[in-house]
Short mmCIF file of all heavy atoms in Angstrom, two decimals:
data_model
loop_
_atom_site.label_atom_id
_atom_site.label_comp_id
_atom_site.label_asym_id
_atom_site.label_seq_id
_atom_site.Cartn_x
_atom_site.Cartn_y
_atom_site.Cartn_z
N SER C 1 126.15 91.56 79.68
CA SER C 1 126.00 93.02 79.78
C SER C 1 125.83 93.43 81.23
O SER C 1 126.39 94.43 81.67
CB SER C 1 124.79 93.48 78.98
OG SER C 1 124.97 93.22 77.62
N ARG C 2 125.06 92.67 81.98
CA ARG C 2 124.86 92.97 83.40
C ARG C 2 126.19 92.91 84.15
O ARG C 2 126.47 93.76 84.99
CB ARG C 2 123.87 91.99 84.02
CG ARG C 2 123.69 92.17 85.51
CD ARG C 2 122.90 91.00 86.09
NE ARG C 2 122.96 91.02 87.53
CZ ARG C 2 123.92 90.45 88.25
NH1 ARG C 2 124.91 89.81 87.66
NH2 ARG C 2 123.89 90.51 89.57
N ASP C 3 127.01 91.91 83.83
CA ASP C 3 128.33 91.83 84.47
C ASP C 3 129.16 93.08 84.17
O ASP C 3 129.85 93.59 85.04
CB ASP C 3 129.08 90.58 84.02
CG ASP C 3 128.89 89.42 84.98
OD1 ASP C 3 127.98 89.48 85.82
OD2 ASP C 3 129.69 88.47 84.89
N LEU C 4 129.11 93.54 82.93
CA LEU C 4 129.85 94.76 82.56
C LEU C 4 129.28 95.98 83.29
O LEU C 4 130.02 96.91 83.61
CB LEU C 4 129.83 94.96 81.06
CG LEU C 4 130.59 93.92 80.24
CD1 LEU C 4 130.38 94.14 78.75
CD2 LEU C 4 132.07 93.92 80.59
N LEU C 5 127.99 95.97 83.56
CA LEU C 5 127.37 97.08 84.27
C LEU C 5 127.83 97.18 85.73
O LEU C 5 127.60 98.20 86.38
CB LEU C 5 125.84 96.96 84.23
CG LEU C 5 125.18 97.34 82.91
CD1 LEU C 5 123.71 96.93 82.91
CD2 LEU C 5 125.33 98.82 82.64
N HIS C 6 128.49 96.15 86.22
CA HIS C 6 128.99 96.21 87.60
C HIS C 6 130.02 97.32 87.76
O HIS C 6 130.38 97.66 88.88
CB HIS C 6 129.55 94.86 88.05
CG HIS C 6 128.49 93.95 88.56
ND1 HIS C 6 127.68 94.25 89.63
CD2 HIS C 6 128.10 92.73 88.13
CE1 HIS C 6 126.85 93.26 89.84
NE2 HIS C 6 127.06 92.33 88.94
N VAL C 7 130.47 97.90 86.66
CA VAL C 7 131.34 99.08 86.73
C VAL C 7 130.62 100.19 87.51
O VAL C 7 131.24 100.98 88.20
CB VAL C 7 131.72 99.50 85.30
CG1 VAL C 7 131.46 100.92 84.98
CG2 VAL C 7 133.14 99.15 85.02
N LEU C 8 129.29 100.20 87.44
CA LEU C 8 128.50 101.18 88.20
C LEU C 8 128.61 100.94 89.70
O LEU C 8 128.38 101.86 90.50
CB LEU C 8 127.03 101.12 87.78
CG LEU C 8 126.69 101.40 86.33
CD1 LEU C 8 125.22 101.08 86.05
CD2 LEU C 8 127.01 102.84 85.98
N ASP C 9 128.92 99.73 90.08
CA ASP C 9 128.98 99.38 91.50
C ASP C 9 130.34 99.70 92.13
O ASP C 9 130.48 99.68 93.34
CB ASP C 9 128.70 97.88 91.69
CG ASP C 9 127.30 97.51 91.26
OD1 ASP C 9 126.38 98.31 91.45
OD2 ASP C 9 127.12 96.40 90.73
N LEU C 10 131.35 99.96 91.31
CA LEU C 10 132.71 100.11 91.80
C LEU C 10 133.01 101.36 92.62
O LEU C 10 133.74 101.26 93.59
CB LEU C 10 133.71 100.00 90.65
CG LEU C 10 133.87 98.59 90.08
CD1 LEU C 10 134.78 98.62 88.87
CD2 LEU C 10 134.39 97.64 91.12
N PRO C 11 132.50 102.55 92.27
CA PRO C 11 132.90 103.72 93.06
C PRO C 11 132.62 103.52 94.54
O PRO C 11 131.49 103.35 94.97
CB PRO C 11 132.06 104.86 92.48
CG PRO C 11 131.73 104.42 91.09
CD PRO C 11 131.61 102.91 91.17
N LEU C 12 133.68 103.50 95.29
CA LEU C 12 133.63 103.31 96.74
C LEU C 12 132.94 102.02 97.16
O LEU C 12 132.57 101.85 98.31
CB LEU C 12 132.95 104.50 97.42
CG LEU C 12 133.56 105.88 97.15
CD1 LEU C 12 132.71 106.96 97.77
CD2 LEU C 12 134.98 105.95 97.66
N LEU C 13 132.74 101.11 96.23
CA LEU C 13 132.07 99.82 96.47
C LEU C 13 130.64 99.97 96.97
O LEU C 13 130.03 99.02 97.44
CB LEU C 13 132.88 98.96 97.44
CG LEU C 13 134.30 98.61 96.99
CD1 LEU C 13 135.00 97.79 98.07
CD2 LEU C 13 134.29 97.85 95.69
N VAL C 14 130.09 101.17 96.85
CA VAL C 14 128.73 101.44 97.34
C VAL C 14 127.72 100.53 96.65
O VAL C 14 126.83 99.98 97.28
CB VAL C 14 128.36 102.93 97.15
CG1 VAL C 14 126.90 103.17 97.48
CG2 VAL C 14 129.26 103.79 98.00
N GLY C 15 127.87 100.35 95.34
CA GLY C 15 126.92 99.54 94.60
C GLY C 15 126.91 98.09 95.04
O GLY C 15 125.86 97.44 95.06
N PHE C 16 128.09 97.56 95.40
CA PHE C 16 128.16 96.18 95.86
C PHE C 16 127.55 96.02 97.25
O PHE C 16 127.05 94.95 97.60
CB PHE C 16 129.60 95.67 95.88
CG PHE C 16 130.16 95.44 94.51
CD1 PHE C 16 131.21 96.20 94.03
CD2 PHE C 16 129.64 94.46 93.68
CE1 PHE C 16 131.72 95.99 92.77
CE2 PHE C 16 130.14 94.23 92.41
CZ PHE C 16 131.19 95.01 91.95
N LEU C 17 127.59 97.08 98.04
CA LEU C 17 127.00 97.02 99.38
C LEU C 17 125.53 97.44 99.38
O LEU C 17 124.83 97.22 100.36
CB LEU C 17 127.80 97.93 100.33
CG LEU C 17 129.27 97.54 100.51
CD1 LEU C 17 129.97 98.57 101.37
CD2 LEU C 17 129.40 96.16 101.11
N TRP C 18 125.06 98.01 98.30
CA TRP C 18 123.68 98.51 98.21
C TRP C 18 122.63 97.44 98.55
O TRP C 18 121.63 97.75 99.20
CB TRP C 18 123.43 99.08 96.81
CG TRP C 18 122.25 99.98 96.76
CD1 TRP C 18 120.99 99.65 96.34
CD2 TRP C 18 122.19 101.34 97.14
NE1 TRP C 18 120.16 100.73 96.42
CE2 TRP C 18 120.88 101.79 96.93
CE3 TRP C 18 123.13 102.24 97.65
CZ2 TRP C 18 120.48 103.09 97.21
CZ3 TRP C 18 122.73 103.53 97.93
CH2 TRP C 18 121.43 103.94 97.70
N PRO C 19 122.82 96.17 98.16
CA PRO C 19 121.80 95.17 98.50
C PRO C 19 121.55 95.01 100.00
O PRO C 19 120.50 94.50 100.40
CB PRO C 19 122.37 93.87 97.92
CG PRO C 19 123.26 94.31 96.81
CD PRO C 19 123.85 95.61 97.28
N LEU C 20 122.48 95.45 100.82
CA LEU C 20 122.28 95.33 102.27
C LEU C 20 121.07 96.15 102.75
O LEU C 20 120.44 95.79 103.73
CB LEU C 20 123.54 95.77 103.02
CG LEU C 20 124.73 94.83 102.89
CD1 LEU C 20 125.98 95.48 103.45
CD2 LEU C 20 124.44 93.51 103.59
N GLY C 21 120.76 97.23 102.04
CA GLY C 21 119.63 98.06 102.46
C GLY C 21 118.53 98.18 101.44
O GLY C 21 117.57 98.91 101.66
N ASP C 22 118.65 97.46 100.34
CA ASP C 22 117.66 97.56 99.27
C ASP C 22 116.52 96.56 99.49
O ASP C 22 116.77 95.41 99.87
CB ASP C 22 118.34 97.29 97.92
CG ASP C 22 117.42 97.55 96.75
OD1 ASP C 22 117.18 98.74 96.45
OD2 ASP C 22 116.95 96.58 96.13
N ARG C 23 115.30 97.00 99.22
CA ARG C 23 114.12 96.14 99.42
C ARG C 23 114.22 94.86 98.61
O ARG C 23 113.85 93.78 99.09
CB ARG C 23 112.86 96.93 99.04
CG ARG C 23 111.57 96.19 99.17
CD ARG C 23 110.38 97.07 98.82
NE ARG C 23 110.42 97.60 97.47
CZ ARG C 23 109.95 96.96 96.40
NH1 ARG C 23 109.41 95.78 96.53
NH2 ARG C 23 110.03 97.51 95.20
N ARG C 24 114.71 94.96 97.36
CA ARG C 24 114.83 93.78 96.50
C ARG C 24 116.27 93.26 96.43
O ARG C 24 116.57 92.40 95.62
CB ARG C 24 114.30 94.11 95.10
CG ARG C 24 112.80 94.32 95.16
CD ARG C 24 112.15 94.83 93.93
NE ARG C 24 112.77 94.52 92.66
CZ ARG C 24 112.22 94.75 91.49
NH1 ARG C 24 111.04 95.29 91.43
NH2 ARG C 24 112.84 94.46 90.38
N ARG C 25 117.12 93.80 97.29
CA ARG C 25 118.52 93.37 97.42
C ARG C 25 119.27 93.45 96.09
O ARG C 25 120.01 92.54 95.73
CB ARG C 25 118.59 91.98 98.02
CG ARG C 25 117.99 91.95 99.41
CD ARG C 25 118.13 90.62 100.06
NE ARG C 25 117.53 90.66 101.38
CZ ARG C 25 117.11 89.60 102.03
NH1 ARG C 25 117.24 88.41 101.49
NH2 ARG C 25 116.58 89.71 103.21
N GLN C 26 119.09 94.54 95.36
CA GLN C 26 119.71 94.73 94.05
C GLN C 26 120.96 95.61 94.14
O GLN C 26 120.98 96.57 94.90
CB GLN C 26 118.74 95.39 93.08
CG GLN C 26 117.56 94.56 92.69
CD GLN C 26 116.59 95.35 91.85
OE1 GLN C 26 115.99 96.30 92.33
NE2 GLN C 26 116.45 94.95 90.59
#
């Protein structure tokens, strides 16, 4: 389910890059 939720990370790839600035790197 978590892998399928990566659809949330796709718009402009922002979600995939979010760990770069996230405290827990999520």
